[in-house]
Amino acid sequence: EALQQSGSPIPTTLHPSVLSLKDLPSWWNGRGPLLFLHQSERQASKDLSFYAHDVDPTAPVGLLIGPEGGFSQRECDLLEEAGFLPILLKTNILRSETAAIYALSSLQELIHQ
């Protein structure tokens, strides 16, 4: 019913178990870009609009939202080493559930401009 109400041609799927950060890249298997939101100043960080211009609107995007309090420096390093692209939300410090809605809405708007 939710798929019908949203009008999305792509069904949402949930993985049946929780994956560790180190297992995410191999599980994702290069299906599309992998982005992670964080609040720390990282050298490679860009804002969401920087990456959105290069995203194929028909390809999947992996978007990782951290826990309350954010990712640790070690986790950020691990994610970058695994190919995730860091997204800095600048002054927007959001709760995890709000960050997910914000990020998905922003990405969808930027991709379809």
Side-chain angles (χ1 to χ4, degrees):
E1 290 177 13
L3 184 62
Q4 184 179 16
Q5 288 176 348
S6 71
S8 174
I10 303 166
T12 299
T13 58
L14 299 175
H15 194 275
S17 63
V18 176
L19 298 171
S20 71
L21 286 181
K22 66 179 178 158
D23 292 334
L24 282 174
S26 62
W27 173 79
W28 185 252
N29 197 23
R31 290 180 268 182
L34 293 166
L35 312 173
F36 75 96
L37 280 69
H38 67 92
Q39 74 288 343
S40 63
E41 291 292 334
R42 304 193 62 74
Q43 281 187 332
S45 289
K46 306 286 189 238
D47 66 19
L48 195 53
S49 63
F50 179 84
Y51 296 115
H53 299 295
D54 294 329
V55 173
D56 175 356
T58 63
V61 175
L63 188 62
L64 192 59
I65 308 293
E68 297 293 328
F71 292 110
S72 70
Q73 283 300 112
R74 187 177 143 274
E75 290 170 326
C76 287
D77 292 341
L78 176 71
L79 291 169
E80 282 189 64
E81 288 168 14
F84 282 78
L85 303 171
I87 303 291
L88 179 63
L89 292 180
K90 298 184 181 168
T91 59
N92 296 329
I93 304 294
L94 304 170
R95 294 180 56 92
S96 294
E97 62 273 10
T98 307
I101 295 167
Y102 171 85
L104 291 173
S105 299
S106 298
L107 187 58
Q108 184 174 15
E109 182 63 25
L110 290 166
I111 289 173
H112 296 288
Q113 282 186 351

